[in-house]
Structures are given as C-alpha cells and as structure tokens.
Amino acid sequence: MLKIFLNFSLMKFLLKFLIFVFFISCTNDRDVKIIRLGHGLSTTHSVHKAMVFMDSVIKLQSKGKMRIQIYPSEQLGTERQCLELLQIGSLDMTKVSAGSLENFSPNIKVFGLPFLFRDREHSYSVLDSDIGSDLLSGTEKYWLKGLAYYDAGARSFYTREKKIHNPNDLNGLKIRVMESKTAFDMVKILGGSPTPISYGELYTSLQQGVVDGAENNPPSFYLSKHYEVCKFYTLDEHTILPDVLLMSTHTWNSLNKQQKEWVNNSVKLSVIEQRKLWAKSEKESLHAVKEAGVEIIIPDKKLFVEQSKNIFESYKSNSELYNFIERIKESK
Amino acid sequence: MINNLRKRLDNLVSWILIIIMFLMVLTVLWQVFTRYVLENPSSYTEELARYLMIWVGVLGAAYVSGQNNHISIDYFINKTSVNTQLIIKKIIIYIIIFFVFCAFIFGGLRLVYITYLLGQFSPALQIPLSLVYFVVPVSGLLIIFYKVSDLINYCK
C-alpha cells in the first residue's frame, strides 16, 4: 500500500514538474514572432551579412516583436532540402540560387540562359522591374513566396591548365556544372563537356583532374579556395544568376498585415545593403586571387555571345518561358 | 494463412531488393566507365544511383524489420522472465506500429502528395520526385503488416 502511494505521489510530482517546465518554455516567445531562416553560405558571405542586417532592421521596426533567426552553412540542409522544408512548412525562410529554384519553379530557368542580359545594369533594371516581380510571384504556385533577389554577380569559367580566350578553347574540356539543366546546356553549346559534380566534391575533383575546370562568380571562386588549383580565370560573365530569398507560403499566410509590412520593409533594405556588400566582396576577391597567382583573362565577350545565341531558339516550344526571354531582351 | 502470405511477401521484397542492388552496381560501373574510359561522363548516373540507394535503404529497412534483424539492445530483456519478455515485446510492437503509422504512412503520403501536387522533377533524369518518395509509404505498409503478423503469432 505504501509502495503504491509513494509511486502515486512521485507521479504527481513528475506531472507537476512537466507542466511547470512546459509553461516556462512558453512564456519566453509568446509575444515575439520568430522567423527561422536557413541558408547554405558561410557567415563571411555578403548574403549572410545582409540577413543579419535584415534581422536588426526588423527588430528595430517591430520594437523587438519580430526576429529573424539565421541558420547558416547548410545547418538545416542543402538548398534543395531547404526548399522542400519550406513547402512542407517546417522552415520559414531560405535563400537559394536561381539554379536550384528552377527545379521547383520552371520559369526561373530563364536566368540560367547564357548572355540573357546585356550587362550588369541591364540585369539590375530587369530584376527591379515587373518582369522580375512576375517571375518572383510565379513561385507562389509552388508554395514558395518569392521575396527578393540578392545579387550573386556573374559566373565565369576557371580552368586548371588551359587558358580560355574564346569558345574554341573550351572544346573537349570537362567543366563542372550545377545540378541544373540550363547550366548543362549552356556549357554544351559553348563547346565544353558538362559534368555535374556536387559543390562539396569539386575541390578534390579539380585537384585530381576529374574535371578540367568549373564556373562560378568571383567571391565563390575565392571563398571555395578553388584558386589554389585553378590558375586561370576567364571573365566571360556568361550567366547572371541571382540568389532568391523565399518564404514558405504557410508562414506568409499566418502573418498579420503589420508583420507582412515589417518583412517587406526589412527585405527591401537588406537587398540594397547586400548589393553594396556584394560589389565590395567581388572586388576584394578578384584582388585576392590575383595576389595568389591567378591569371585573370578578359576575353572578347562577343565571341561567346555569338556561339551561344542559338540556345534561345531551343526554348521556343515553351511559350511561357520564351515570352519571358523576349520581354527581358526588349527591356532597357 | 498469414505466415504463408508473409513468406511470399518476403520472397518478393528480397527479389526487388536484389534487382535494385544489381541496377545500382551497373549504374555506378557505367559512371566509372564513361568518366575514365570514354572520357565523357554520363550526366544522369549519379542521380539514378542516389535514388536507387534511397529505395534499397528504405525498402531494406522494411524487409529487415520483417526478419526482426534491426539493431537492438537485448541485454536487459534477456534478464527478465519469459512472460515479461512477451509483454515487453508486444509493447514494443505497438510503439513501432504507432511510429510507422505517423512517420511513414501519414508523413510519407503527405510528402508524396506535396511533391506530386507541386510537380517537382529531378534535375538530370526529369522523373517526378513523388515516384522516388513513394517508397516511404510502401515501406511503412510493409512494416505494419510484418508487425501485425508478429502480434498475431505472439497471441497464438
């Protein structure tokens, strides 16, 4: 009898304790709305810095009622996994490259086409215009609310041994591409042979000669330390592939009007901040790789444009995508 | 009756696993061959091998649960009497069925439904991803079948 009684009071105590613990954990975030943001870049990257800036803006605007919690360096998964988490509703926000997003929202493929934009200014004006916002809102169908574009510069080829001055130099070279169909087609049409390899394995693949080169923007070339292996960087700027900031539609719909406004405002400010940071980091990384002994080649871009212009025709059958191509080409 | 069905199912699943494993070996060999001999690496093999690996893993988990070969610590359970062992085993089965129902059947079907609805395709092969994820609810059903038949056998 005593034994049962003891057990009973023990149970009661445990139950009270659990309820107590449950309630303390609740009071902390009852009136602070926390948005969780996962991305794959390191904390030194300009995108991450802009996100930290975004958090401070939203904190200031909402007087501490809303915060953005950032999980960098693929802590919550790769870009693809983060997008899936957004669709399921397990994660609130993420930043992915347009190259990853095209597998979820087909119209985004347009950014993967080579020499779509005449120059950087053209790309900024398109992204800021209704063409950019049309493409962003197109992702909403796939339960991903596009918030803004971050600058990710222009991608160029880098190689181990062969200098690339014109597209003919690419003939027979194995070039690593992202898991994206447009990147694959782009390298093919320029004459190289595309090889999809995951980003994490790229350094050793370059070292062992599994591929002869890869393509990326200057800060990634520098931060990934691929310049230690690849000594030639050809600034042909074939694709201007932006990063996209997205929110889960589940989260977006759960926010009230005021909170949506806070998000929109802070995103806008962080985009401006990020473009500044990006320009700075681009200059710094080019300088740094030059210091490290990389030869930077500035080729005649016209040759590359000429070689790849037929790629647009192959998208004629896809009228929705082709419409976007035409709109971008016609815009100022 | 149920044990007869179980044997047939075991046979079927093991053959499916053997075939997938065989395909996986072929895919990886083809990948190495194209990369080092033809010097023109095939673009879809890595992805195919990855998806086959997912199928072997998840379907294999169901098969192994049918064989009762999953990793477990039986040090403590072996110290108790036979009757207690039976009770504990039954409780374990109920817990497994509950978990598999929530995670594999409910969660898995939801995942398949979302990827199907949103029309997600794999980058290289362009196959619908819902097809790849479909293995999760299938494997969940298998596990539940095995565990229910275990339960029936214990009650006999």
Side-chain angles (χ1 to χ4, degrees):
Chain A
M1 193 61 205
L2 187 70
K3 219 172 159 186
I4 294 169
F5 176 73
L6 265 178
N7 268 339
F8 190 62
S9 62
L10 190 72
M11 286 281 272
K12 250 177 146 177
F13 172 73
L14 271 176
L15 210 67
K16 273 182 191 163
F17 182 72
L18 276 175
I19 291 169
F20 176 67
V21 169
F22 184 70
F23 273 101
I24 356 181
S25 55
C26 267
T27 43
N28 268 337
D29 40 325
R30 188 176 285 160
D31 20 85
V32 182
K33 175 79 188 165
I34 289 184
I35 305 270
R36 283 161 311 137
L37 194 168
H39 68 87
L41 299 167
S42 69
T43 49
T44 50
H45 201 281
S46 63
V47 164
H48 179 82
K49 287 179 190 159
M51 285 168 179
V52 174
F53 177 73
M54 181 161 68
D55 173 43
S56 62
V57 170
I58 213 164
K59 188 183 165 197
L60 210 71
Q61 275 192 334
S62 65
K63 299 196 177 68
K65 278 187 195 152
M66 202 171 183
R67 291 296 302 268
I68 293 171
Q69 217 164 60
I70 307 168
Y71 300 86
S73 318
E74 295 194 346
Q75 278 175 27
L76 299 182
T78 61
E79 295 199 330
R80 186 185 186 98
Q81 288 162 344
C82 280
L83 283 172
E84 288 188 353
L85 286 178
L86 247 65
Q87 287 184 326
I88 295 171
S90 301
L91 180 65
D92 302 318
M93 258 170 115
T94 190
K95 184 275 341 159
V96 295
S97 165
S100 299
L101 189 60
E102 68 169 47
N103 294 316
F104 288 78
S105 177
N107 281 343
I108 298 291
K109 276 195 188 120
V110 89
F111 293 122
L113 299 172
F115 305 108
L116 174 73
F117 301 111
R118 285 186 296 274
D119 48 37
R120 298 290 282 277
E121 279 67 41
H122 183 207
S123 81
Y124 289 142
S125 73
V126 167
L127 292 181
D128 293 338
S129 73
D130 16 310
I131 305 174
S133 49
D134 280 357
L135 281 164
L136 263 189
S137 58
T139 62
E140 229 164 304
K141 250 196 323 208
Y142 304 96
W143 298 4
L144 303 161
K145 161 106 187 144
L147 293 174
Y149 298 103
Y150 278 141
D151 196 358
R155 299 171 75 94
S156 302
F157 290 112
Y158 49 89
T159 43
R160 274 158 30 102
E161 280 153 5
K162 201 167 169 190
K163 293 184 193 181
I164 297 172
H165 290 285
N166 59 56
N168 291 338
D169 294 332
L170 273 168
N171 266 346
L173 282 193
K174 277 177 274 178
I175 303 290
R176 176 266 171 179
V177 291
M178 289 183 292
E179 265 193 27
S180 124
K181 200 174 169 305
T182 46
F184 197 85
D185 292 345
M186 183 264 301
V187 170
K188 217 172 201 171
I189 204 163
L190 287 173
S193 94
T195 310
I197 288 179
S198 74
Y199 194 61
E201 286 169 45
L202 185 52
Y203 188 95
T204 39
S205 304
L206 284 166
Q207 213 171 19
Q208 293 169 351
V210 175
V211 284
D212 303 304
E215 42 101 45
N216 220 322
N217 50 47
S220 296
F221 179 50
Y222 172 58
L223 291 171
S224 62
K225 298 208 188 306
H226 291 163
Y227 64 88
E228 293 171 355
V229 194
C230 295
K231 292 299 177 195
F232 303 105
Y233 195 28
T234 304
L235 289 179
D236 67 320
E237 307 195 321
H238 46 258
T239 42
I240 296 177
L241 202 62
D243 279 348
V244 188
L245 189 67
L246 298 142
M247 187 183 257
S248 161
T249 46
H250 304 278
T251 310
W252 180 255
N253 294 333
S254 76
L255 298 178
N256 61 34
K257 213 176 157 197
Q258 174 78 68
Q259 287 169 327
K260 282 179 187 170
E261 203 181 300
W262 287 333
V263 170
N264 278 334
N265 286 342
S266 59
V267 164
K268 249 180 230 157
L269 288 172
S270 88
V271 167
I272 297 167
E273 177 76 7
Q274 196 267 342
R275 278 194 189 165
K276 271 188 235 154
L277 287 168
W278 178 268
K280 202 171 134 226
S281 78
E282 203 165 51
K283 245 182 237 155
E284 279 169 4
S285 8
L286 274 179
H287 184 73
V289 295
K290 230 185 250 173
E291 292 271 276
V294 173
E295 187 182 329
I296 291 174
I297 302 160
I298 298 181
D300 186 1
K301 258 168 104 172
K302 273 184 205 135
L303 296 171
F304 288 88
V305 177
E306 196 61 30
Q307 176 92 18
S308 64
K309 71 177 183 204
N310 287 333
I311 206 167
F312 297 108
E313 300 306 310
S314 63
Y315 285 93
K316 233 173 186 165
S317 56
N318 185 343
S319 61
E320 210 179 335
L321 195 74
Y322 198 73
N323 186 23
F324 275 114
I325 295 175
E326 281 186 327
R327 274 172 76 187
I328 291 173
K329 292 233 155 185
E330 281 159 16
S331 70
K332 273 173 197 152
Chain B
M1 215 277 281
I2 200 157
N3 284 334
N4 195 4
L5 183 65
R6 189 176 167 147
K7 252 181 214 154
R8 284 191 184 178
L9 209 59
D10 270 347
N11 207 351
L12 180 73
V13 174
S14 69
W15 270 107
I16 293 174
L17 285 170
I18 289 167
I19 292 167
I20 295 176
M21 197 72 195
F22 180 69
L23 283 178
M24 206 162 95
V25 172
L26 277 189
T27 320
V28 174
L29 281 178
W30 178 246
Q31 161 85 21
V32 174
F33 182 73
T34 52
R35 181 170 284 179
Y36 288 104
V37 182
L38 300 183
E39 300 228 319
N40 182 16
S42 154
S43 59
Y44 64 87
T45 43
E46 204 191 315
E47 201 177 276
L48 187 61
R50 192 164 65 230
Y51 293 156
L52 289 174
M53 178 84 177
I54 291 172
W55 272 72
V56 164
V58 181
L59 207 59
Y63 180 73
V64 173
S65 98
Q67 310 288 312
N68 275 322
N69 261 338
H70 269 300
I71 202 161
S72 62
I73 300 168
D74 50 8
Y75 177 76
F76 297 104
I77 201 168
N78 285 340
K79 289 202 173 246
T80 56
S81 70
V82 181
N83 269 339
T84 335
Q85 280 190 19
L86 202 64
I87 295 169
I88 294 176
K89 274 182 183 162
K90 277 185 192 167
I91 294 173
I92 290 173
I93 287 177
Y94 283 125
I95 294 172
I96 290 176
I97 290 177
F98 175 73
F99 172 76
V100 167
F101 186 80
C102 294
F104 279 58
I105 308 260
F106 182 74
L109 279 177
R110 189 163 163 249
L111 188 66
V112 171
Y113 173 71
I114 288 177
T115 40
Y116 174 75
L117 189 75
L118 304 179
Q120 238 190 78
F121 291 89
S122 72
L125 286 163
Q126 294 292 315
I127 52 166
L129 270 183
S130 48
L131 207 68
V132 178
Y133 293 145
F134 193 65
V135 71
V136 180
V138 167
S139 150
L141 273 181
L142 274 174
I143 295 176
I144 288 187
F145 169 77
Y146 281 134
K147 290 299 139 189
V148 168
S149 76
D150 271 352
L151 212 56
I152 291 169
N153 285 336
Y154 283 143
C155 291
K156 263 179 197 167

